Amino acid sequence: MNNDQLFARIAPLFDVGSLGDARALIAGCGSGGGQVALQLAMSGIRKFALFDSDVLEAENVIRHVCGRRYLGQKKVDAVADVLLDRNPALEIERFPVDIMTCADLVDQVRRSGVVVLATDNDPTRFRLNQVCVETKTPFVIGKVFTRGIGGETFAYRPGEGGCLACLESVLERLPYRDGVREIDLVSDEERQKMYGMEIPEIKDSPGLNVDIAFITAFHTRFVLDAIARTLPERPKFLPPIEKNYLVWGNRPVHPFTKHFELQRIQVHPQDGCLICNQGESL
């Protein structure tokens, strides 16, 4: 089966061939990054650089694109195998390394058309934020809130909007994170208790895969938009996404007031930002 057959149903609608030359750097191949990578492969992206230093463990499987037969394998290898099963013509580079100590991270980012930021800790996120700003490389980050009550997606568009540091500055003044925590921004001990169901008030953490899927869908769509912005001509029926930040509520749990609540805002470069050092406020 060739590529023409694989994409025969959608190629006339979405010009998937025009997306194929973009290289997507997937930073984090967990439940979020793995799903985004798969959706990108199914959308016509052919070049991937997969970054993750972890192996797939039993507690990952119920929310991950990779099943039990991949247990004990490096996540980059497991995800690569799933992607190649969908499209054997993909070009996939694998980096089972720690992003914080990766010697050629700047070069790898510079070689990429977009960075999919799906790591589970702030140091790697802000490291990639800095590198992407320095290299003028677009990135899109997705986060899921505790218990899967919702999440957020943010796109860094060089020269058009603020960076991740700007976003954090803006969110300090907005209600979208009031009283919520992101799954991955808790201590290792507390996270272990979450996974072990030992904390009654968050016993359903970190959320069902269906809750995570809403965020990964938004994440993927913003990544496709980021790639389309770099092309001489946008693909058909893929109009630009106007705002660069989206927050989504899966159900009416504070700070959300109803099922499937959606808010969008434009995050501008913030005065005094030490990373992108541009001047305009929200």
Side-chain angles (χ1 to χ4, degrees):
M1 181 179 292
N2 58 37
N3 257 19
D4 290 341
Q5 291 174 298
L6 282 175
F7 294 100
R9 294 288 183 91
I10 63 173
L13 297 176
F14 295 103
D15 292 341
V16 292
S18 65
L19 302 173
D21 290 335
R23 181 183 192 250
L25 189 156
I26 311 295
C29 293
S31 56
Q35 184 62 48
V36 173
L38 178 59
Q39 291 296 331
L40 291 176
M42 294 166 66
S43 300
I45 307 302
R46 295 196 301 265
K47 299 177 181 178
F48 292 87
L50 306 180
F51 279 75
D52 200 305
S53 59
D54 290 341
V55 300
L56 193 73
E57 299 180 346
E59 61 266 27
N60 303 138
V61 169
I62 206 64
R63 297 173 292 110
H64 205 275
V65 295
C66 301
R68 291 184 301 155
R69 70 189 180 96
Y70 295 102
L71 286 175
Q73 292 190 27
K74 296 174 182 177
K75 287 183 179 179
V76 292
D77 292 333
V79 170
D81 191 58
V82 168
L83 301 186
L84 290 167
D85 181 60
R86 292 300 177 105
N87 185 356
L90 297 181
E91 300 174 24
I92 302 178
E93 298 174 77
R94 311 172 196 193
F95 299 87
V97 299
D98 184 345
I99 286 173
M100 297 301 293
T101 58
C102 179
D104 64 340
L105 181 63
V106 174
D107 180 60
Q108 293 299 330
V109 169
R110 187 178 284 115
R111 289 177 53 207
S112 303
V114 65
V115 171
V116 177
L117 221 174
T119 59
D120 62 0
N121 61 86
D122 270 351
T124 54
R125 291 167 180 161
F126 282 100
R127 169 72 173 132
L128 282 165
N129 177 68
Q130 183 172 6
V131 172
C132 286
V133 170
E134 291 174 356
T135 59
K136 296 181 172 58
T137 305
F139 72 76
V140 183
I141 183 171
K143 301 179 182 180
V144 180
F145 297 147
T146 309
R147 303 188 304 276
I149 63 171
E152 60 189 5
T153 300
F154 170 71
Y156 168 64
R157 299 165 179 166
E160 296 183 41
C163 70
L164 184 59
C166 296
L167 172 67
E168 294 302 320
S169 174
V170 168
L171 290 178
E172 290 177 0
R173 309 193 299 271
L174 295 175
Y176 303 141
R177 286 193 190 160
D178 182 33
V180 303
R181 288 180 300 172
E182 182 201 344
I183 292 168
D184 300 307
L185 296 185
V186 296
S187 68
D188 289 340
E189 181 180 0
E190 191 171 10
R191 193 188 311 176
Q192 182 59 43
K193 289 181 179 179
M194 287 184 190
Y195 280 91
M197 305 296 189
E198 297 176 18
I199 302 180
E201 65 270 24
I202 49 177
K203 63 183 179 181
D204 54 336
S205 292
L208 298 174
N209 184 60
V210 67
D211 295 325
I212 298 170
F214 283 104
I215 310 306
T216 58
F218 288 124
H219 197 172
T220 303
R221 185 62 180 77
F222 271 86
V223 173
L224 292 174
D225 178 75
I227 294 171
R229 288 170 181 268
T230 68
L231 301 177
E233 183 178 352
R234 288 189 71 95
K236 291 181 294 187
F237 306 112
L238 198 63
I241 298 175
E242 181 181 357
K243 307 297 185 183
N244 60 2
Y245 173 74
L246 177 152
V247 61
W248 171 265
N250 280 320
R251 48 188 180 273
V253 177
H254 182 79
F256 306 112
T257 60
K258 56 187 176 183
H259 285 99
F260 311 135
E261 185 173 354
L262 177 65
Q263 298 285 344
R264 308 176 187 89
I265 65 171
Q266 178 67 26
V267 177
H268 298 288
Q270 298 296 291
D271 288 325
C273 177
L274 299 178
I275 306 302
C276 62
N277 194 29
Q278 301 177 65
E280 183 182 345
S281 295
L282 177 71

